[in-house]
Amino acid sequence: MNRSGRLLCALYLVTTGGLAATAVLDLAHGPLWVAFLFAAASVVPVIAVVRETLIRDLLAAGSGPRRPVRSAADQFVREELYAACCERWWTSLGTDHDDGCPHRIPRSSAA
């Protein structure tokens, strides 16, 4: 982990300590709901430290972040975009085709 990552983790841990100390003080002298609120808030920086160390481990392994798995809807959209045939088809919402388009349908004069 580089220097900025270590500094960030140290700040997270100091923040956790401050929030936990405030939770203890509120438990003794304040409303109970406030003590629980500060106790829950003191867990969040710990999660951030775990995340930072996980990122460090992934970068050290050289694998980097994984690519997300494509959903079925994403695959369908990709196939439809690939099947688009010409520029005029896009601009006319699928009603007209360019002269050189192999999918060109002759226009009828019937209204």
Side-chain angles (χ1 to χ4, degrees):
M1 186 180 302
N2 58 11
R3 182 178 292 186
S4 64
R6 285 192 296 270
L7 177 65
L8 193 58
C9 285
L11 287 174
Y12 286 150
L13 293 176
V14 168
T15 304
T16 297
L19 288 169
T22 306
V24 170
L25 287 175
D26 271 328
L27 186 61
H29 304 292
L32 190 59
W33 68 272
V34 174
F36 286 126
L37 181 69
F38 278 110
S42 68
V43 175
V44 175
V46 173
I47 295 169
V49 169
V50 171
R51 182 178 176 274
E52 288 291 325
T53 56
L54 179 65
I55 289 171
R56 179 203 59 194
D57 293 343
L58 285 174
L59 290 175
S63 63
R66 292 184 180 178
R67 296 179 79 187
V69 178
R70 292 184 180 153
S71 66
D74 187 35
Q75 185 63 29
F76 176 75
V77 169
R78 285 183 183 277
E79 289 172 3
E80 290 298 318
L81 288 174
Y82 183 72
C85 54
C86 64
E87 181 70 25
R88 189 175 295 165
W89 183 87
W90 278 105
T91 58
S92 66
L93 300 175
T95 58
D96 293 331
H97 293 272
D98 287 337
D99 292 335
C101 180
H103 301 290
R104 186 172 49 116
I105 300 170
R107 303 180 94 194
S108 68
S109 60

